[in-house]
Amino acid sequence: MTEQEKFEFKSEARQLLELMIHSVYSNKEVFLRELISNSSDALDRRRVEAITDKSLLEDGHELEIRLEADKTARILHLHDSGIGMSKDEVIKNLGTIARSGTKEFVQNLKSQEGDQTAELIGQFGVGFYSAFMVADEVTVVTRRAGESEATRWTSSGDGSYTVEAAEKEDIGTTVSLRLRDADPDNALPDFTDDFVLRSTVKKHSDFVTHPIKLRVEETKEEEGKDPEVTITWPTINSMKAIWTRPSSDVTDDEYNEFYRHISHDWAEPLDRVSFKAEGTFEYQTLLFIPENPPMDMYWRDAKYGLQLYVNRVLIQDRCEELVPSYLRFLKGVVDSPDLSLNVSREMLQQDRRLTQIRKRIVKKVLDALQYIQKSDREKYIKFWNAFGRVLKEGIVQEQDQKDAMKELLMFYSSADDEKLTSLDEYIERMKEDQDTIYYITGESRKAVERSPHLESLKAKGYEVLFLIDPVDELVSENVSEYKEKKLKSVSKGEVNLGSEEEKKEAEEKRKEAEKSHESLLKAIQEILNEDLKEVRMSSRLTASAACLVGGEDDISPQLERLLEQAGQKPPKQKRILELNPEHHLLGKMNALHIADDKQKLSAYAQIVYGQALLAEGSALPDPMQFNQLVTEVLVDAAS
């Protein structure tokens, strides 16, 4: 007798199973699609592994999925001849639900009603457990290719499961569901009925490239003879590769179901892109842009890529060579008859034809996004909110399509509290005498829109873009101009606004203020010499006493902080302190300087410098000292 091991799901997983069992929504039939998708993946994996290890798939062995219903016992079996699982894989894959976000999933599931539940199941990767919506017990018997022992996994959805050794003659997996009684009034059909199974497969899994066979039992009765029972296994899916069919022959529902099949996302895609190349090198491509980002989109070790087929045979499930990382959200297939079925990963990396496909995919996807941006703004904003941060990575990576990517960029700006804007839309609103696109980088909108660097621009009605994503620091370093308009940070260098006459007048006024306060500026420079490379008068301030700016080629404080967080501490940068010539603090400091009160002038200078640091979101080098200096100045002012 084999030893049976009992395991407990974590508390959050128990809540999830309970919600699964008791959730009520109309689309319960999708459990079958999820199980078939898992079986299809297992079949693909066995075929791929057999390319390099032919012992895993004997000649003549058929890769297939079989459905078998026991009406009397109300049990539905789903058999596949895929790769199978070892005991450790069973515990890893079936014993830990939604490893990456169980708690978040449960919270979302509790707050959702109706068919939205299905979208969450797909988003959090728990499709297998949808079986508990129709079954009060699920048993999995599996044997991995290359192993002789099998494993049985059983759970009633009560928060625990058992694992034990089992016997299985064939390689693959059998999932057996002890079905609840049919309840049509509550959208629970009879999944032991042949018609229900056929229609469900036709609706959701007709395009699966492996045969799905249904056990059909027919009884023939003749008078005076025992009933004759005939069992057949007809294939109930068409197995037509959807990407090979003319788009006019494929419905939106069929495309959506195929997307769900390859992505395991229960939501519909936001958009799709399909094209083919003919001639000396042929291939077909069907791509989908998801509506929602996957949970692992920002995981460093997350796998991405498109499915690569050769003559409709899957040879790689996630081919990273087909898409750059900034398009890692794409789902889809590429099928070419001109690649070798025995192609290895190393050969793929060296195959120039894959580079050609990749370039074409990039162009087609960017073209599609530009079309959406111009024709359906609401749809594009939805895409941007989901994937804009990832797409911005391409500004750094992409060279061939860099101009196209610039057109797709969207930012918040000082022109509108809520709406995103493109660079083209910014240019349309520019003043007649304006030849520069102004922007500011920072950690949040709240931080940048209150920045003293914006004061003169706001006063003169100039729009400023808010670059507040961490990746925007790299965007600003790699986008210096757009359509002959220079992009300029308002926190670097000098900002000269208005007509040529106005610029000249402002510059003369600034120089005059510097000349009249030359001695004071030198004194402040000496006090703060360790931190500053220059102290000068400002033409960008109207209300604040001071601000810190960088040189044109300096990195921003935000990028400096990001590099430090990544363990790449840059060399110390000295900044430029700009003072507002109209501010009363300048007069106070000048009076102290004339009186030769070096101690008080030093305190004021350090306080002004500290305020400028805080205004840009930087940390004070010595908060305790700053606090003491502020207290001393307040006490002195009150006496």
Side-chain angles (χ1 to χ4, degrees):
M1 186 173 181
T2 60
E3 180 181 353
Q4 186 183 78
E5 298 178 77
K6 186 174 182 179
F7 299 86
E8 296 289 329
F9 288 117
K10 293 181 180 180
S11 59
E12 291 162 355
R14 287 198 294 271
Q15 295 177 47
L16 186 148
L17 284 172
E18 185 176 345
L19 286 166
M20 281 285 202
I21 293 167
H22 298 294
S23 66
V24 178
Y25 65 97
S26 60
N27 204 18
K28 283 185 167 65
E29 65 187 24
V30 293
F31 86 92
L32 187 56
R33 179 185 70 199
E34 288 302 300
L35 295 183
I36 288 174
S37 290
N38 290 343
S39 292
S40 177
D41 291 344
L43 293 166
D44 288 336
R45 186 173 174 187
R46 184 174 181 184
R47 182 164 57 188
V48 171
E49 291 192 15
I51 292 174
T52 54
D53 185 357
K54 297 192 181 300
S55 66
L56 298 181
L57 188 59
E58 298 175 358
D59 291 340
H61 184 89
E62 188 167 6
L63 295 174
E64 62 182 10
I65 300 167
R66 291 181 288 127
L67 298 175
E68 182 178 3
D70 185 331
K71 298 179 184 293
T72 303
R74 293 203 54 74
I75 294 177
L76 175 64
H77 303 283
L78 187 146
H79 312 277
D80 71 62
S81 52
I83 194 69
M85 291 181 284
S86 65
K87 178 182 176 181
D88 289 342
E89 288 173 326
V90 167
I91 295 173
K92 177 183 177 183
N93 296 333
L94 303 184
T96 309
I97 299 178
R99 292 187 294 274
S100 58
T102 305
K103 185 175 182 179
E104 185 181 354
F105 174 82
V106 170
Q107 291 172 345
N108 279 280
L109 192 59
K110 284 180 177 178
S111 66
Q112 300 293 333
E113 297 179 356
D115 287 341
Q116 289 174 308
T117 308
E119 296 182 13
L120 288 170
I121 290 171
Q123 182 182 353
F124 284 84
V126 292
F128 170 80
Y129 303 97
S130 62
F132 287 102
M133 294 187 297
V134 298
D136 52 28
E137 182 179 86
V138 178
T139 300
V140 178
V141 179
T142 183
R143 176 185 161 200
R144 201 186 196 289
E147 296 187 2
S148 58
E149 295 184 358
T151 303
R152 178 182 287 106
W153 178 97
T154 305
S155 178
S156 299
D158 57 359
S160 65
Y161 62 93
T162 61
V163 176
E164 60 187 318
E167 292 185 2
K168 193 175 190 303
E169 182 178 349
D170 299 324
I171 291 168
T173 300
T174 295
V175 180
S176 301
L177 286 71
R178 190 172 69 194
L179 298 169
R180 296 191 181 90
D181 291 335
D183 186 359
D185 292 337
N186 287 313
L188 181 58
D190 184 0
F191 288 104
T192 66
D193 182 84
D194 288 358
F195 175 78
V196 172
L197 292 173
R198 284 176 180 272
S199 59
T200 302
V201 169
K202 185 69 177 175
K203 179 179 178 181
H204 295 291
S205 306
D206 189 56
F207 44 76
V208 172
T209 54
H210 303 286
I212 302 172
K213 298 181 177 181
L214 176 65
R215 184 182 188 275
V216 176
E217 185 176 303
E218 296 180 350
T219 302
K220 183 179 180 181
E221 296 185 359
E222 293 185 13
E223 189 175 347
K225 296 183 180 180
D226 292 333
E228 182 180 338
V229 178
T230 303
I231 297 174
T232 57
W233 290 90
T235 299
I236 57 175
N237 64 317
S238 69
M239 294 185 290
K240 290 181 179 178
I242 198 169
W243 59 89
T244 65
R245 296 162 57 187
S247 57
S248 58
D249 293 346
V250 184
T251 66
D252 287 341
D253 287 342
E254 288 177 307
Y255 277 125
N256 292 343
E257 284 301 330
F258 178 70
Y259 164 75
R260 294 186 185 110
H261 171 68
I262 63 172
S263 67
H264 301 288
D265 179 0
W266 288 27
E268 292 183 359
L270 185 73
D271 202 28
R272 64 176 181 266
V273 179
S274 62
F275 61 93
K276 64 180 180 178
E278 297 177 333
T280 56
F281 174 42
E282 298 184 359
Y283 59 89
Q284 291 179 296
T285 302
L286 176 59
L287 307 173
F288 296 92
I289 300 172
E291 185 175 276
N292 302 305
M295 289 187 60
D296 61 355
M297 190 165 70
Y298 295 104
W299 293 5
R300 185 180 63 180
D301 298 327
K303 303 296 183 183
Y304 68 90
L306 304 176
Q307 291 185 342
L308 178 61
Y309 285 76
V310 174
N311 281 325
R312 304 182 194 180
V313 175
L314 180 67
I315 64 168
Q316 194 167 329
D317 186 51
R318 292 183 178 181
C319 183
E320 295 183 2
E321 289 76 19
L322 289 171
V323 284
S325 62
Y326 65 86
L327 294 180
R328 59 184 176 271
F329 51 83
L330 289 176
K331 304 295 181 183
V333 301
V334 173
D335 189 355
S336 173
D338 295 325
L339 293 172
S340 169
L341 184 62
N342 294 317
V343 68
S344 68
R345 188 168 187 82
E346 290 73 24
M347 290 171 63
L348 280 174
Q349 291 171 343
Q350 298 168 10
D351 196 319
R352 288 183 297 177
R353 287 174 293 188
L354 282 190
T355 303
Q356 295 174 28
I357 298 175
R358 175 184 170 124
K359 287 183 177 180
R360 185 94 182 275
I361 286 174
V362 169
K363 187 178 188 311
K364 286 290 187 179
V365 171
L366 296 184
D367 286 348
L369 291 174
Q370 286 178 347
Y371 177 78
I372 297 172
Q373 184 186 38
K374 292 177 174 62
S375 63
D376 191 337
R377 186 178 182 84
E378 183 178 346
K379 185 177 179 180
Y380 186 74
I381 294 299
K382 194 171 188 177
F383 161 80
W384 185 260
N385 288 334
F387 304 108
R389 184 176 296 179
V390 176
L391 195 67
K392 287 176 184 177
E393 296 173 14
I395 289 292
V396 182
Q397 301 174 26
E398 187 63 52
Q399 295 302 321
D400 294 343
Q401 297 293 329
K402 196 166 186 176
D403 288 341
M405 299 206 66
K406 291 178 187 178
E407 289 188 34
L408 296 171
L409 293 173
M410 302 289 284
F411 304 102
Y412 287 106
S413 85
S414 59
D416 195 293
D417 291 337
E418 298 180 359
K419 292 182 180 179
L420 287 159
T421 188
S422 67
L423 294 177
D424 282 325
E425 291 165 338
Y426 180 101
I427 290 174
E428 289 176 5
R429 296 190 294 267
M430 286 174 62
K431 292 177 172 292
E432 289 185 9
D433 57 5
Q434 184 180 349
D435 58 3
T436 302
I437 298 172
Y438 295 104
Y439 69 88
I440 184 170
T441 61
E443 294 181 347
S444 68
R445 176 169 186 153
K446 185 177 180 181
V448 297
E449 64 186 359
R450 295 180 179 180
S451 171
H453 298 99
L454 271 60
E455 290 177 359
S456 64
L457 288 103
K458 285 182 177 179
K460 291 182 178 293
Y462 283 82
E463 182 177 356
V464 180
L465 298 175
F466 297 155
L467 277 62
I468 52 178
D469 280 340
V471 72
D472 284 343
E473 293 291 342
L474 298 177
V475 171
S476 64
E477 294 291 324
N478 286 272
V479 181
S480 58
E481 69 172 44
Y482 178 72
K483 293 188 176 178
E484 300 182 352
K485 304 291 184 183
K486 183 181 178 182
L487 270 74
K488 177 171 177 55
S489 169
V490 299
S491 60
K492 291 184 181 181
E494 297 182 2
V495 175
N496 299 311
L497 306 175
S499 64
E500 290 301 320
E501 185 177 338
E502 289 173 325
K503 290 177 183 178
K504 184 179 179 180
E505 182 181 342
E507 182 60 16
E508 288 177 352
K509 187 176 180 181
R510 188 184 70 82
K511 285 183 177 180
E512 185 178 331
E514 282 192 344
K515 185 176 181 180
S516 62
H517 292 83
E518 183 178 1
S519 180
L520 173 63
L521 296 180
K522 285 182 179 179
I524 297 173
Q525 175 71 56
E526 290 177 4
I527 295 169
L528 301 171
N529 192 54
E530 287 189 11
D531 301 299
L532 301 178
K533 60 183 175 183
E534 184 183 354
V535 180
R536 68 190 185 198
M537 291 299 178
S538 178
S539 58
R540 77 184 84 206
L541 296 173
T542 60
S544 300
C547 69
L548 287 167
V549 300
E552 292 288 0
D553 299 323
D554 290 351
I555 64 173
S556 69
Q558 168 77 344
L559 181 55
E560 194 173 4
R561 289 191 289 272
L562 290 172
L563 290 172
E564 287 179 358
Q565 292 169 11
Q568 303 175 27
K569 188 175 178 64
K572 178 179 174 61
Q573 286 193 126
K574 288 191 175 185
R575 310 288 301 288
I576 300 169
L577 179 66
E578 289 194 352
L579 301 174
N580 183 353
E582 306 295 332
H583 202 280
H584 68 277
L585 262 179
L586 185 67
K588 175 68 175 177
M589 293 171 73
N590 196 42
L592 292 171
H593 177 58
I594 293 171
D596 201 25
D597 193 337
K598 295 180 181 179
Q599 184 176 352
K600 285 186 179 179
L601 178 61
S602 177
Y604 271 82
Q606 291 180 69
I607 289 172
V608 169
Y609 174 61
Q611 289 177 331
L613 284 171
L614 293 173
E616 70 176 15
S618 296
L620 294 169
D622 191 340
M624 289 295 294
Q625 183 192 32
F626 180 79
N627 188 51
Q628 290 172 357
L629 291 171
V630 171
T631 302
E632 289 173 9
V633 169
L634 289 174
V635 169
D636 182 63
S639 61

